[in-house]
Structures are given as structure tokens and as C-alpha cells.
């Protein structure tokens, strides 16, 4: 496969117009067009930019192999939406479990027999009626 065919195929695979590609790698649309019809060849710097953008080594662009390496197509919008909903549902479930655990812990702590409210201690030795503790040692 010729370089111009590879460049055209990769650009179309990526879903880019010639203008979008040109803007992405900072060249003119006419330069991209000349590369794709075979009237000119990209510089090494431009080949490196194309390789990074397309995710292929420059060697693959320049080699005489028949086809550029195939990449997996991006997931469809429906798949992305399903993954987002799944992640959102897991986050909501995790938050619910955390809140439930805090509530259960608070309930268990409030039912302890040795738990005392400060108002229960008013009037006992060592507690002054205004709710402050006296730290006198016997």
C-alpha cells in the first residue's frame, strides 16, 4: 500500500476531515490534500505528528506493507452510556452501604450500657451543676 493510501485510510478511520487533520498537526489543508494524492510527501516532523495522532509508528507509515495495523473501533455511544450508568449505580450502592454502616454503628454505640449523657451525671460527686467537670483527685 502506498503512503498516500495509508494516510487517506488512517484519516478516514479516525473520522477526520482534511481540514481537521491539518489543524491538528498545524499544516494547511492543501498540504494534507497533496500528501493524500501523492504529489508531495510529509516531512519527518509531520510524519511523526501523524504517527502520534493515528497511534502508529512512522515506520508503519513508510513501510510497504499492504495494510496499516487495525485498531479496535471505539465503543458505540450505547456502550459508553451503559458503562457510565453501571459506574454511577456502583457509586450509589457504595455510598448507601457506607451511610448504612455509619447509622448502624451510631445505633450500637447509643445502646451501650456504659454510655452516659452529661445530664445524667448532674448532681453526682465531681460534677458541678452548670455541666462542667471538677478535676479534683480524691
Amino acid at each position: 500500500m502506498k503512503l498516500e493510501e495509508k494516510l487517506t485510510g488512517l484519516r478516514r478511520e479516525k473520522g477526520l476531515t482534511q481540514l481537521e487533520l491539518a489543524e491538528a498537526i498545524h499544516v494547511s489543508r492543501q498540504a494534507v490534500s497533496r500528501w493524500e494524492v501523492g504529489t508531495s510527501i510529509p516531512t519527518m516532523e509531520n510524519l511523526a505528528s501523524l504517527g502520534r495522532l493515528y497511534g502508529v509508528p512512522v515506520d508503519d507509515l513508510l513501510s510497504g506493507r499492504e495494510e496499516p495495523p487495525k485498531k479496535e473501533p471505539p465503543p458505540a455511544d450505547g456502550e459508553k452510556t451503559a458503562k457510565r450508568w453501571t459506574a454511577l449505580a456502583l457509586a450509589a450502592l457504595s455510598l448507601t452501604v457506607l451511610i448504612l454502616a455509619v447509622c448502624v454503628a451510631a445505633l450500637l454505640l447509643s445502646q451501650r450500657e456504659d454510655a452516659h449523657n452529661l445530664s445524667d451525671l448532674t448532681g453526682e460527686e465531681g460534677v458541678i451543676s452548670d455541666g462542667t467537670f471538677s478535676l479534683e483527685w480524691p
Side-chain angles (χ1 to χ4, degrees):
M1 181 181 277
K2 295 180 180 179
L3 175 62
E4 57 265 22
E5 294 168 342
K6 288 180 185 179
L7 294 176
T8 303
L10 288 167
R11 177 181 57 79
R12 288 181 179 158
E13 253 182 48
K14 196 78 167 172
L16 298 172
T17 65
Q18 287 182 343
L19 180 59
E20 291 168 333
L21 173 61
E23 290 173 349
I25 63 171
H26 308 292
V27 297
S28 68
R29 186 206 51 83
Q30 291 80 5
V32 173
S33 177
R34 286 191 299 268
W35 300 339
E36 291 184 359
V37 295
T39 57
S40 71
I41 299 172
T43 64
M44 285 305 294
E45 182 180 321
N46 289 333
L47 283 169
S49 295
L50 289 166
R52 280 191 300 276
L53 180 68
Y54 295 141
V56 297
V58 173
D59 185 49
D60 286 353
L61 294 174
L62 297 175
S63 71
R65 286 193 289 180
E66 285 301 309
E67 293 184 23
K70 295 288 181 187
K71 294 171 63 177
E72 298 232 359
D77 287 339
E79 291 177 33
K80 288 180 183 177
T81 303
K83 287 181 180 179
R84 287 183 185 146
W85 278 110
T86 302
L88 184 60
L90 287 173
L93 181 63
S94 299
L95 184 60
T96 303
V97 168
L98 178 65
I99 291 172
L100 184 61
V102 168
C103 290
V104 167
L107 181 64
L108 291 174
L109 286 174
S110 69
Q111 293 179 350
R112 285 183 28 193
E113 290 183 22
D114 61 341
H116 294 285
N117 190 346
L118 185 59
S119 62
D120 294 341
L121 301 175
T122 307
E124 292 183 17
E125 186 178 328
V127 177
I128 303 172
S129 62
D130 65 357
T132 59
F133 286 95
S134 170
L135 297 178
E136 298 175 16
W137 196 260

